[in-house]
Amino acid sequence: MKIYAHRGYSAKYPENTLAAFRAAADLPIDGVEFDVHLTKDQQVVVIHDESINRTSNGQGFVKDMTLQALRGFDYGGWFSKEFAGETIPTLSEVLTIFRDTNLRVNIELKSDIFAYAGMEELVLKEVEALGMQEQVVISSFDHEAVARVAELAPNIENAALFVNTILEIVEYQEKLPAKALHVSLPSALRRPVQEAIQRGSVVRVWTINEVEHVILLVNSGVEAIFTDEPEKMMVFIKENSVNV
Ligand code: G3P
Ligand code: MG
């Protein structure tokens, strides 16, 4: 079972910061996941929420601020004093950290609340500029964005994210089309996703932080888990010889 560090190494470092990504890049794991939004001046930045309220000392929506304005706040101090001074990373800064590693890089397009017109093109441009087309997986809960990535860059791996289980998921996946399915733990264990795995779908599961939940996934056929605790999961999987 493969391990992707969720929002970087987010259990020990402030999520979606360069500190969290450098720590993830140093681990012998399989991948990393992070979230992107668009600024007022059309820069792709890495942050989970639509607003900076929870993970910085500032207030407001990313879409209403320029990159320069967003860079005026601190994105590490809320987590711990030792990380005060972390900034909001751009997509290209984060991609650059992983370009020379063996980690897969899952870019999650957070366009499910605000539509961010043109975001897919901007993200693809940066991926292509760094030659990372084969290293990335582009996912979203916004399935219009998933379909658009397929249209614009059919060779890049795209993935549809799901909160709930849906029936006929394979037919839906083919229609989008999406190359992979990123599902929650309950969905991963239910009939539609289990059938999808039998039929060859690549399935990854978010967000698994308890070893008891890894045990539930043994023999489920899922390819990977997203976790805030990559080291803990790495040790558990190795010590218990957990395979898919
Ligand atoms: O991409 C998997 C996972 O990150 C989706 O949920 O809210 O943590 O972005 P969230
Ligand atoms: Mg995410």
Side-chain angles (χ1 to χ4, degrees):
M1 193 179 299
K2 293 182 176 173
I3 298 175
Y4 281 54
H6 180 242
R7 309 182 194 172
Y9 191 165
S10 59
K12 293 220 170 134
Y13 299 81
E15 64 179 60
N16 286 331
T17 60
L18 295 179
F21 294 124
R22 289 194 190 105
D26 282 344
L27 295 175
I29 55 174
D30 305 282
V32 65
E33 184 265 2
F34 55 83
D35 313 285
V36 296
H37 291 261
L38 273 196
T39 66
K40 189 178 178 185
D41 53 341
Q42 302 289 291
Q43 302 296 308
V44 187
V45 288
V46 178
I47 185 166
H48 180 271
D49 300 354
E50 285 68 30
S51 84
I52 65 170
N53 302 6
R54 181 177 61 86
T55 57
S56 81
N57 59 351
Q59 295 273 318
F61 290 120
V62 172
K63 71 175 178 60
D64 294 334
M65 285 181 268
T66 61
L67 177 59
Q68 195 188 6
L70 286 161
R71 286 256 156 118
F73 301 106
D74 167 31
Y75 297 79
W78 68 275
F79 186 83
S80 151
K81 273 197 301 225
E82 112 193 57
F83 297 109
E86 283 293 329
T87 190
I88 187 168
T90 61
L91 173 60
S92 60
E93 284 169 340
V94 177
L95 290 177
T96 303
I97 290 178
F98 293 102
R99 187 172 44 173
D100 298 321
T101 70
N102 292 323
L103 273 70
R104 292 300 302 277
V105 176
N106 180 191
I107 305 168
E108 183 190 340
L109 308 178
K110 281 287 186 202
S111 49
D112 40 313
I113 308 265
F114 299 127
Y116 297 129
M119 181 191 232
E120 301 86 2
E121 285 88 342
L122 291 169
V123 167
L124 289 168
K125 207 168 119 191
E126 295 192 21
V127 168
E128 282 158 17
L130 289 164
M132 293 176 71
Q133 296 93 318
E134 287 180 17
Q135 199 177 348
V136 300
V137 179
I138 301 180
S139 66
S140 190
F141 287 110
D142 170 8
H143 293 182
E144 284 184 308
V146 174
R148 189 132 178 81
V149 169
E151 206 178 284
L152 293 167
N155 294 328
I156 284 188
E157 182 170 341
N158 66 341
L161 267 159
F162 298 88
V163 175
N164 296 315
T165 308
I166 66 159
L167 303 176
E168 315 296 350
I169 197 166
V170 179
E171 288 71 16
Y172 184 72
Q173 178 182 2
E174 285 169 357
K175 194 164 186 304
L176 272 172
K179 292 197 165 69
L181 305 171
H182 291 183
V183 305
S184 64
L185 175 64
S187 282
L189 300 171
R190 298 187 74 133
R191 183 194 54 79
V193 173
Q194 282 297 304
E195 274 181 19
I197 292 170
Q198 296 302 319
R199 292 169 67 177
S201 296
V202 171
V203 173
R204 305 186 181 98
V205 185
W206 58 274
T207 297
I208 304 295
N209 292 326
E210 307 300 332
V211 293
E212 290 77 14
H213 294 164
V214 174
I215 293 167
L216 291 175
L217 289 168
V218 171
N219 298 324
S220 67
V222 305
E223 190 221 52
I225 56 168
F226 299 99
T227 181
D228 302 338
E229 299 266 15
E231 276 187 300
K232 178 172 95 176
M233 293 307 179
M234 213 171 69
V235 170
F236 180 77
I237 288 173
K238 198 168 166 204
E239 281 180 356
N240 294 279
S241 304
V242 173
N243 287 309
V244 285

